[in-house]
């Protein structure tokens, strides 16, 4: 099973489908390469040099290691995967490649009573990826997890020791994703950059 910078290819497929939108990813491994096409919350096409569709996804899953990056190029004239992403993964990779938590909805555990209420624009993930707080922020937990994995992957290639924080501007909003000293992943989205100062101090000190 391919692992790309510590994260499995099925997990990358899952996170990209949860993110939604339209995107191409290029998967590379020891001189081989393939492309995954995502649209509307599903994997709609996959292609390598010799196969397309579910067979191409199966081929990429057999690669033992590699890297993933944003791909470029035109959209395929024919989308070869018309079924839901989880159904396709179960078929080509088997149930062992799929986390059982993906198959049933889960609710985030409530934070201890002594903790202050989490702001609606903030999410907190445990070091293992479990959602601790902020489930009401649609799309942000998955986006934060995916962005942190990608940042750790890129940082590893560049020789950095560990991921601390990532801050981006998107339209009128600022987004800060950081790893606290306790290993938890925190993400906050704000319109006022100054409102992120306390989170900056937490993840950068």
């Amino acid at each position: 099973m391919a692992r790309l910078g510590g994260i499995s290819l099925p997990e990358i497929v899952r996170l990209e489908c949860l993110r939604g939108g339209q995107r191409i990813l290029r998967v590379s491994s020891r001189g081989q390469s393939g492309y995954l096409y995502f649209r509307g919350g599903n994997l709609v096409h996959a292609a390598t040099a010799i196969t397309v569709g579910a067979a191409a996804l199966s081929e990429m899953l057999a690669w033992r290691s590699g890297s993933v990056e944003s791909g470029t190029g035109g959209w395929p004239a024919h989308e070869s995967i018309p079924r839901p992403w989880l159904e396709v993964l179960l078929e080509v990779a088997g149930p062992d490649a799929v986390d059982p938590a993906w198959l049933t909805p889960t609710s985030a555990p409530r934070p201890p009573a002594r903790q202050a209420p989490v702001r609606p624009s903030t999410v907190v993930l445990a070091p293992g990826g479990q959602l601790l707080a902020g489930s009401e922020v649609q799309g942000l937990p998955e986006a934060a997890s995916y962005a942190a994995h990608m940042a750790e992957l890129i940082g590893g290639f560049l020789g950095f020791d560990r991921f601390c924080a990532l801050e981006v501007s998107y339209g009128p909003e600022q987004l800060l994703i950081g790893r606290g000293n306790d290993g938890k992943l925190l993400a906050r989205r704000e319109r006022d950059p100054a409102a992120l100062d306390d989170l900056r101090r937490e993840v950068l000190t």
Side-chain angles (χ1 to χ4, degrees):
M1 182 69 63
R3 297 193 70 83
L4 311 169
I7 179 171
S8 70
L9 188 54
E11 177 72 4
I12 290 175
V13 170
R14 169 182 172 266
L15 291 171
E16 192 62 38
C17 289
L18 290 172
R19 190 178 74 91
Q22 183 167 310
R23 191 179 183 199
I24 304 172
L25 291 183
R26 182 176 185 267
V27 181
S28 302
S29 176
R30 299 180 182 180
Q32 305 173 94
S33 63
Y35 292 86
L36 301 174
Y37 297 79
F38 299 89
R39 181 177 56 78
N42 268 303
L43 173 65
V44 297
H45 184 65
T48 66
I50 57 176
T51 56
V52 297
L57 177 60
S58 179
E59 181 183 347
M60 285 181 264
L61 288 168
W63 298 344
R64 305 308 301 176
S65 61
S67 62
V68 62
E69 61 187 348
S70 293
T72 58
W75 200 257
H78 171 68
E79 295 178 354
S80 59
I81 303 177
R83 293 173 294 153
W85 66 270
L86 186 53
E87 179 182 326
V88 176
L89 270 182
L90 285 169
E91 177 186 311
V92 302
D96 291 342
V98 174
D99 189 324
W102 302 356
L103 304 176
T104 56
T106 58
S107 59
R110 293 183 179 179
R114 64 179 180 274
Q115 293 183 354
V118 176
R119 298 182 59 177
S121 60
T122 302
V123 298
V124 181
L125 300 173
Q130 300 88 349
L131 180 61
L132 299 179
S135 59
E136 71 279 8
V137 188
Q138 184 177 7
L140 186 55
E142 296 82 6
S145 177
Y146 181 78
H149 277 305
M150 294 301 292
E152 287 165 350
L153 175 64
I154 294 169
F157 285 136
L158 296 177
F160 292 107
D161 291 335
R162 69 183 184 91
F163 166 69
C164 293
L166 171 68
E167 187 169 351
V168 296
S169 298
Y170 190 81
E173 294 188 336
Q174 295 282 120
L175 173 65
L176 178 63
I177 301 169
R179 184 81 67 185
N181 292 329
D182 57 2
K184 292 178 182 176
L185 187 67
L186 303 97
R188 182 178 298 168
R189 186 172 55 204
E190 296 282 359
R191 286 185 175 270
D192 178 10
L196 297 171
D197 286 346
D198 59 332
L199 185 57
R200 291 189 187 99
R201 287 191 291 270
E202 182 173 351
V203 301
L204 295 176
T205 58

